[in-house]
Amino acid sequence: MSSDNSPGLADALAAGTVVLDGGMSNQLASAGHDLGDGLWSARLLADRPDAVSDAHLAYFRAGADVAITASYQATFEGFGRRGIARDEAARLLALSVELGRDAVRRAREEGIVRPLWVAASAGPYGAMLADGSEYRGRYGLSVDELEAFHRPRLEVLAGAGPDVFALETVPDADEAAALLRAVRGLGVPAWLSYSVAAGRTRAGQPLEEAFALAADVDEVIAVGVNCCAPEDVQRAVEVAARVTGKPVVVYPNSGEVWDPQARAWTGRSTFGAEQVAGWRAAGARLIGGCCRVGPEGIAGIARVV
C-alpha cells in the first residue's frame, strides 16, 4: 500500500534517498503542548489530534517525504493505565495512521506533489514503561513475551493501512528478534532501527549480530539507527549496509544530551546536513532526525539530498 498513489517506499529507496521527518515531540513542544506525561506525544492522539496532524504537515512543508506517526509510546497497556479501554486504545492507534494520511491530504492541498509516505511507529517495550529502560533493554522478558506484547498493536496499526512500520529505538537484539517475528504476515513492510552507543546496541550487543537478525527477513526494507548521537551514526551505517545488503535508515538526535534531573537538554547540537553526504556514501537512503531535530534541520537535509 502507498499513500495517495505514491510509489512503494522500497522502490523509492532503490532509486535514491528519501527524507524522513524530525522529532514529533520537538515539534509538538515547540507548538506549546505539554508532553510531561507517561504517554508522551501519544497523549495528544486523545486530547489534541489536530496538533499531531499539524506537526506532520510542518515536516512535509520542510521537505520530509515520510511522516512517522505519534504511536511510538501508544500501547494497550499504557492507555489502560490512563483508564482508556481496549477498544478506544485500538481506535487511537489507528487514528495515529489516519492523522498521517490527513497531513498528506493537506500537503496536497497546499501544492506539495512529491511522493509522501506514512510510517507507523512502534517503539520498544521500555517506551511503555516510561522509566528510561527503552535506552537499556534487558527487561527480563523472553522473546516470546516481547512478541506477545508487540503483536496486538502492530495488528491494529497494520489494519489502518500505513505504508511501512517504523520499528524504532530498539535497544536490544532480543527485542528486535521479537519485533521481526511480530510483523510476519501483516502485509506491511518495515524498517528496523536500533538505538546505539559506542558501536553497540544499548543493551551491549555487537552491531554485526544485531543487524544480522534482519538480513534475511523479507518484510524489512531498511535497517539502521535512530535516537543516538550523530557521532555514532557513520560506523553503524557501514556495518548495517555490509551485514544486510539493505538500504540503511538513520535519524539521530541533535547531539544535545537530556539531563533527567534538570529535565532539560544540555550541550550543543552536533548534527548538521554536511554529515549526510558521508552517511549516503556508506549506504544510508532514508535520512532524517530524532530528538531536538525540528523542521529547520529537516529542511537542511532536504536541500542536501
Side-chain angles (χ1 to χ4, degrees):
M1 181 178 295
S2 299
S3 295
D4 67 344
N5 298 317
S6 294
L9 183 56
D11 291 337
L13 294 176
T17 306
V18 175
V19 180
L20 276 173
D21 61 8
M24 170 62 73
S25 61
N26 181 87
Q27 184 60 17
L28 291 172
S30 296
H33 299 287
D34 180 11
L35 302 181
D37 183 278
L39 288 175
W40 201 32
S41 56
R43 177 185 66 81
L44 296 181
L45 294 172
D47 297 347
R48 286 293 306 275
D50 59 309
V52 175
S53 179
D54 288 346
H56 290 317
L57 182 60
Y59 282 116
F60 284 147
R61 287 171 175 161
D65 305 313
V66 183
I68 303 176
T69 64
S71 52
Y72 172 82
Q73 211 146 334
T75 64
F76 289 110
E77 294 81 357
F79 282 132
R81 287 200 298 267
R82 290 286 300 273
I84 297 173
R86 194 172 183 86
D87 286 351
E88 176 64 5
R91 186 189 73 81
L92 294 174
L93 279 162
L95 178 62
S96 71
V97 177
E98 294 164 13
L99 292 171
R101 295 273 184 237
D102 181 63
V104 171
R105 176 189 59 77
R106 295 169 67 191
R108 296 290 182 239
E109 291 174 351
E110 292 187 4
I112 296 174
V113 298
R114 67 182 182 277
L116 300 173
W117 296 273
V118 175
S121 172
Y125 178 85
M128 179 271 295
L129 299 177
D131 63 358
S133 61
E134 64 195 281
Y135 300 112
R136 299 188 299 271
R138 308 280 85 181
Y139 316 113
L141 299 178
S142 68
V143 172
D144 287 346
E145 288 170 323
L146 288 168
E147 180 185 4
F149 166 78
H150 285 294
R151 178 77 182 198
R153 67 170 173 157
L154 289 170
E155 290 174 342
V156 173
L157 290 169
D163 299 304
V164 63
F165 285 129
L167 310 177
E168 56 179 354
T169 325
V170 180
D172 190 331
D174 286 351
E175 185 159 27
L179 282 161
L180 293 173
R181 281 165 41 174
V183 298
R184 288 177 183 162
L186 295 182
V188 178
W191 77 66
L192 173 67
S193 180
Y194 287 97
S195 178
V196 303
R200 303 176 82 86
T201 69
R202 292 281 187 163
Q205 297 113 339
L207 292 184
E208 287 84 355
E209 295 178 11
F211 288 129
L213 294 173
D216 297 320
V217 178
D218 292 340
E219 288 87 352
V220 175
I221 62 171
V223 296
V225 295
N226 77 290
C227 204
C228 59
E231 294 76 17
D232 285 323
V233 170
Q234 184 70 30
R235 180 173 181 273
V237 173
E238 293 167 354
V239 173
R242 172 171 53 81
V243 170
T244 70
K246 296 177 184 284
V248 179
V249 53
V250 297
Y251 46 122
N253 297 337
S254 69
E256 297 164 85
V257 178
W258 176 252
D259 183 335
Q261 279 70 44
R263 294 193 61 78
W265 291 91
T266 62
R268 64 181 183 86
S269 173
T270 59
F271 176 87
E274 66 276 4
Q275 297 164 304
V276 171
W279 300 343
R280 290 176 71 195
R285 292 294 177 269
L286 190 55
I287 303 174
C290 199
C291 297
R292 302 289 285 176
V293 179
E296 183 177 345
I298 298 306
I301 293 173
R303 286 192 293 270
V304 172
V305 303

